[in-house]
Amino acid sequence: MISRSYRLQTVEEYYFSKKLREVAVLKANGKPIINLGIGSPDLAPPQQVINAINDSMSHPDAHKYQSYQGLIELREAITKFYKAQYEVSLSPLTEVLPLMGSKEGIMHISMAFLNKGDEVLIPNPGYPTYASVTKLIEAVPKFYDLSWKNNWLPDIEALRKTDLSKVKLMWVSYPHMPTGAQATHKLFNDLIAFGKQHDILIVNDNPYSFVLNPSPKSILKYPGAKEVCLELNSLSKTFNMAGWRVGMVLGDSKYIESILKVKSNMDSGMFYGIQKGAIEALKCSDFWFASLNSVYQQRRELVWELASALNCTFDRDAVGMFVWAKLPPFEKSEEFIDKLLKESNIFVAPGTIFGSQGEGYIRFSLCADEDAIRECIARIK
């Protein structure tokens, strides 16, 4: 047998990839599992998005290779969206690059800017892919702890006191996944100053701006951001298009050019019809966000009831697609969710998959309908 790359020794299979196989086996054996673990929207995209992809099929260019940079109409739609929703001005020619999902962008950015041995500041708790990609390209994760005592925001002054000589990149994600914490204006300004002072590229991963969040923010709006910042964004959560795989990276042209060098060697362009659908999504009015959030608000109130029934506590001011809940004292996250799965056929995510700072927490997804959540409450009560 051909030996595997040593890089695979540094990472494990993604938690949800493994756990969902276990859940699937239980369901196949007749267990009535309700999945509140995954942030995969169960609602439909806007109808004009579906219409656009259907209409695109007869276009003479529909089935050809597409531009590595995406259709100019898509890039224009992205920049108009950023101007309207975040008050950020960007050039559609040089400062935006469509991606096949923002998760893809984590790899592209890392490959474009990191060398073997470079260090990367990664939030704990945070999205597990930041660390796994860092390891795969032989850079070194340098975790910084977040806690409820500091509203799940990084302590910039504490970071300044550490050895940052090898740090080249810092991942942040606000609104924060998994906790739902929001960045303050001060935090974004401090991050920009921190990046400039230590020559660190700051990347804000920002896919949850419009889910139950009355004040969407982009780090690129703040003075001097383009000098040291990039932002990732996605249509997955905002427009219920997770399976379509449409994301974007935005920032100064010098950074976008470097990322394009990586991307253009890894794919042959996004399918034409998906780009046309994305364009229509980005044109949606504020009524779309209001209607979407109306559904999520009802679900969140039910999940709060479920969390309370499990004797968990939570922050009602958190935003996004999840409810991050603190377990009762002395409970361990993975033991708790395994017991819940076994006894009540309810699957939720343990906080520990997001880092050691997630011990003692669980995460509920809002991507299940009200009847399913009510059934969970009934099983607990």
Side-chain angles (χ1 to χ4, degrees):
M1 177 179 173
I2 303 299
S3 61
R4 297 186 298 178
S5 166
Y6 65 87
R7 293 182 184 86
L8 292 185
Q9 298 173 13
T10 69
V11 297
E12 297 181 0
E13 183 183 0
Y14 194 52
Y15 172 84
F16 286 118
S17 176
K18 294 185 293 183
K19 196 66 178 181
L20 288 180
R21 284 202 300 272
E22 177 185 337
V23 170
V25 170
L26 291 172
K27 292 183 74 171
N29 288 325
K31 296 290 185 180
I33 306 296
I34 297 176
N35 187 345
L36 298 181
I38 303 295
S40 179
D42 60 314
L43 301 169
Q47 186 57 48
Q48 63 263 39
V49 173
I50 305 297
N51 295 342
I53 193 171
N54 287 334
D55 294 344
S56 74
M57 293 302 173
S58 59
H59 192 279
D61 294 332
H63 309 292
K64 297 179 180 179
Y65 288 126
Q66 300 298 313
S67 164
Y68 298 106
Q69 294 175 277
L71 295 172
I72 183 61
E73 296 93 337
L74 174 55
R75 285 178 278 141
E76 288 172 344
I78 291 170
T79 57
K80 289 177 182 177
F81 181 83
Y82 253 71
K83 182 65 174 176
Q85 300 295 340
Y86 296 114
E87 299 179 351
V88 173
S89 296
L90 295 158
S91 167
L93 298 178
T94 61
E95 294 184 322
V96 57
L97 181 63
L99 303 169
M100 293 179 188
S102 58
K103 188 175 184 179
E104 176 191 61
I106 297 170
M107 175 62 82
H108 291 348
I109 291 169
S110 298
M111 293 185 71
F113 298 107
L114 297 174
N115 296 310
K116 183 177 181 178
D118 285 341
E119 293 182 350
V120 181
L121 291 171
I122 296 173
N124 174 20
Y127 188 32
T129 299
Y130 304 144
S132 59
V133 166
T134 298
K135 293 174 183 178
L136 282 171
I137 63 171
E138 302 180 77
V140 180
K142 185 180 177 78
F143 293 97
Y144 62 92
D145 287 349
L146 308 176
S147 74
W148 66 269
K149 293 179 181 179
N150 198 38
N151 299 314
W152 305 104
L153 304 180
D155 187 336
I156 303 296
E157 290 307 312
L159 282 175
R160 284 197 171 100
K161 296 175 183 177
T162 64
D163 180 6
L164 300 170
S165 59
K166 293 183 179 180
V167 175
K168 198 171 182 183
L169 191 150
M170 179 180 186
W171 290 103
V172 296
S173 176
Y174 291 97
H176 184 246
M177 200 292 293
T179 70
Q182 298 185 72
T184 61
H185 298 302
K186 183 179 185 301
L187 174 64
F188 278 158
N189 281 313
D190 287 350
L191 284 168
I192 293 164
F194 177 73
K196 290 180 179 179
Q197 181 183 359
H198 298 284
D199 199 23
I200 296 171
L201 179 62
I202 311 293
V203 187
N204 186 42
D205 191 10
N206 188 17
Y208 297 100
S209 276
F210 298 95
V211 180
L212 295 173
N213 181 15
S215 55
K217 298 185 187 73
S218 166
I219 197 171
L220 296 177
K221 179 183 176 180
Y222 294 80
K226 287 185 185 179
E227 296 176 39
V228 290
C229 298
L230 288 168
E231 184 156 280
L232 286 171
N233 214 320
S234 168
L235 274 61
S236 295
K237 301 340 190 255
T238 305
F239 298 105
N240 302 329
M241 294 168 63
W244 291 57
R245 309 312 303 137
V246 183
M248 62 207 78
V249 58
L250 310 108
D252 189 271
S253 60
K254 63 180 179 292
Y255 297 126
I256 300 300
E257 288 170 6
S258 298
I259 299 166
L260 180 58
K261 284 186 178 182
V262 174
K263 178 176 172 58
S264 62
N265 281 288
M266 295 184 70
D267 68 59
S268 297
M270 188 187 302
F271 178 58
Y272 178 85
I274 287 179
Q275 294 189 68
K276 297 297 282 187
I279 291 167
E280 290 304 312
L282 291 162
K283 293 178 181 178
C284 282
S285 70
D286 288 344
F287 177 76
W288 165 258
F289 303 111
S291 60
L292 184 67
N293 283 320
S294 175
V295 174
Y296 282 132
Q297 177 65 38
Q298 296 299 317
R299 293 179 178 186
R300 185 170 64 176
E301 290 178 2
L302 288 170
V303 168
W304 286 343
E305 184 179 345
L306 173 61
S308 296
L310 291 166
N311 298 313
C312 295
T313 55
F314 46 87
D315 179 6
R316 291 178 181 269
D317 292 326
V319 302
M321 190 172 280
F322 306 103
V323 171
W324 180 251
K326 185 173 179 58
L327 293 171
F330 311 114
E331 293 279 9
K332 297 293 186 181
S333 298
E334 295 195 30
E335 292 175 5
F336 188 92
I337 71 109
D338 285 341
K339 182 180 179 181
L340 189 63
L341 182 61
K342 180 180 180 181
E343 296 182 357
S344 301
N345 295 308
I346 300 169
F347 172 54
V348 300
T352 46
I353 67 174
F354 306 106
S356 60
Q357 288 291 99
E359 181 58 87
Y361 292 86
I362 56 176
R363 190 195 73 174
F364 299 89
S365 167
L366 302 182
C367 298
D369 64 34
E370 293 180 32
D371 287 343
I373 303 171
R374 287 193 182 95
E375 172 61 22
C376 290
I377 295 168
R379 291 180 188 181
I380 298 303
K381 290 185 174 180

